[in-house]
Amino acid sequence: MPARRRVAATAALATAALLAAPAAAVAAPPPGGVTLTLMATTDIHGHLADWDYFQDAPYAAEDALGVARIGTAIDEVRAERGEESVVVVDNGDALQGTPLTYLYGYGDERDAVLADEVAHPMAEAFDAIGLDAGTVGNHEYNYGLDLLAAYEGDREAPLLGANVVDATTGEPYHEPYTVIERVIDGETVRVGVLGLVTPGVRVWDRSHVEGVLEFQDMVTAAQEWVPRVAAESDVVVVLAHTGQGTVEDAAYDPATLPEDVAGNIARMVPGIDVL
C-alpha cells in the first residue's frame, strides 16, 4: 500500500452549466504536500454545444451550458494551475437528453456507431476536453447495452460502475475503479476514482438489463471497493450518480436498494476523500 501523501484537494463540482463561474480558490498545500484540483461535471444530458436544439438558437446567457463551454473553463484552470495538477471527472448521464443524442440512440447514426464507422459525439466531446474518468448514470442505459458498449469503447476515459454486475458471471460489468497518476512538483500522486450508479436502473431500463445485469446497493458496493481503491491510491474519489438521500443510517436497509444515498455513503463508508 502506498504511503498516503499530503494533498490539498481543491474541488470545483459542477453541473453542465457550471463553468461560467470562477474556479474555487486554491487551497494551500500542507507542509511537504501538493495541491490537486478536481473538476467534475454531471448530468450533461447530450448538451455538446451551448445550443437549444428545440428552439434552434443559443440558450439565454443565464442558462448557458454545454461541453464546449466546459472545455474552455477546464483549459483556463489547467493553464493557471498546471495540467498535471488538474483531474477532470464526470458523474454520469451524458448519453441522453437532446435531439443529438436521440439521433445516435435511435436513428441511422446508431448503426454507424455500432458498426464502428463513427465515434459517438459525446465520447468525442469528452476526449476533446481531456476527461480522466467518469461513472455511468442511469440514462446511459436508455438506448440498450450495445450502444452503451460502443460509446464506452469510443471513449479514452474509463467508464466506471462498481455496483453493476454481470448476472451470469457475477463479475463487474464495467471497470469498478481506475487509478490516475499525476506528477506534481516532483511528487507522484495516485488518484483512485470509484464509480457507482443508482440501482433504479433495474426498474427504469428493465427491458435492457433484466436477466443481464444486476445492480448492487451503492453503500454495500462502496464498503467493498473503497478499501481496495485506498490500498492503491493517495486520494480516493467516489463518483456516485445518486441523490443526497434522507434515510437515517441506523434504518438503512441495503436489501431495499435505495435510490438516493450520497449522504449514507459519506457517513457509512470510511476512507473517502472526495464524494
Side-chain angles (χ1 to χ4, degrees):
M1 175 177 177
R4 300 276 282 179
R5 298 192 185 280
R6 291 160 297 196
V7 179
T10 300
L13 303 176
T15 66
L18 158 75
L19 282 144
V26 179
V34 298
T35 297
L36 176 73
T37 298
L38 176 70
M39 302 186 74
T41 58
T42 189
D43 293 84
I44 287 174
H45 281 293
H47 290 94
L48 193 156
D50 183 19
W51 192 262
D52 185 338
Y53 298 97
F54 294 101
Q55 300 297 324
D56 196 25
Y59 282 100
E62 63 271 18
D63 298 323
L65 44 71
V67 180
R69 293 178 65 88
I70 290 168
T72 300
I74 291 170
D75 287 346
E76 290 173 353
V77 174
R78 283 179 174 141
E80 175 190 344
R81 304 183 185 179
E83 188 165 342
E84 279 287 287
S85 70
V86 178
V87 172
V88 181
V89 294
D90 176 71
N91 209 50
D93 276 6
L95 201 55
Q96 173 274 345
T98 64
L100 173 70
T101 55
Y102 301 156
L103 283 172
Y104 282 83
Y106 297 120
D108 293 341
E109 290 81 355
R110 173 190 175 94
D111 294 335
V113 171
L114 293 178
D116 204 23
E117 295 171 357
V118 299
H120 196 287
M122 297 312 298
E124 291 187 307
F126 278 136
D127 290 350
I129 67 171
L131 185 74
D132 292 300
T135 190
V136 283
N138 53 286
H139 282 287
E140 262 67 68
Y141 299 89
N142 287 173
Y143 302 120
L145 298 182
D146 288 346
L147 188 74
L148 176 55
Y151 164 71
E152 186 171 1
D154 288 339
R155 291 167 41 125
E156 293 179 2
L159 188 62
L160 309 173
N163 66 317
V164 185
V165 176
D166 186 306
T168 301
T169 66
E171 297 296 321
Y173 183 76
H174 305 285
E175 291 183 55
Y177 68 94
T178 189
V179 178
I180 302 161
E181 284 200 0
R182 290 286 194 265
V183 179
I184 307 172
D185 298 335
E187 293 283 343
T188 298
V189 178
R190 298 171 182 85
V191 183
V193 183
L194 176 71
L196 301 165
V197 63
T198 172
V201 176
R202 77 195 189 285
V203 178
W204 305 319
D205 277 306
R206 186 188 306 273
S207 62
H208 297 310
V209 304
E210 188 171 31
V212 182
L213 300 180
E214 296 175 353
F215 293 82
Q216 298 176 332
D217 172 65
M218 299 176 76
V219 172
T220 303
Q223 289 170 335
E224 174 185 354
W225 286 100
V226 165
R228 303 191 195 187
V229 179
E232 300 179 30
S233 309
D234 303 306
V235 179
V236 176
V237 178
V238 174
L239 302 179
H241 192 85
T242 183
Q244 180 175 339
T246 58
V247 178
E248 295 291 335
D249 295 347
Y252 190 86
D253 182 3
T256 65
L257 296 177
E259 178 189 345
D260 299 315
V261 300
N264 302 101
I265 295 171
R267 294 186 299 269
M268 298 172 67
V269 185
I272 299 171
D273 296 300
V274 180
L275 173 64

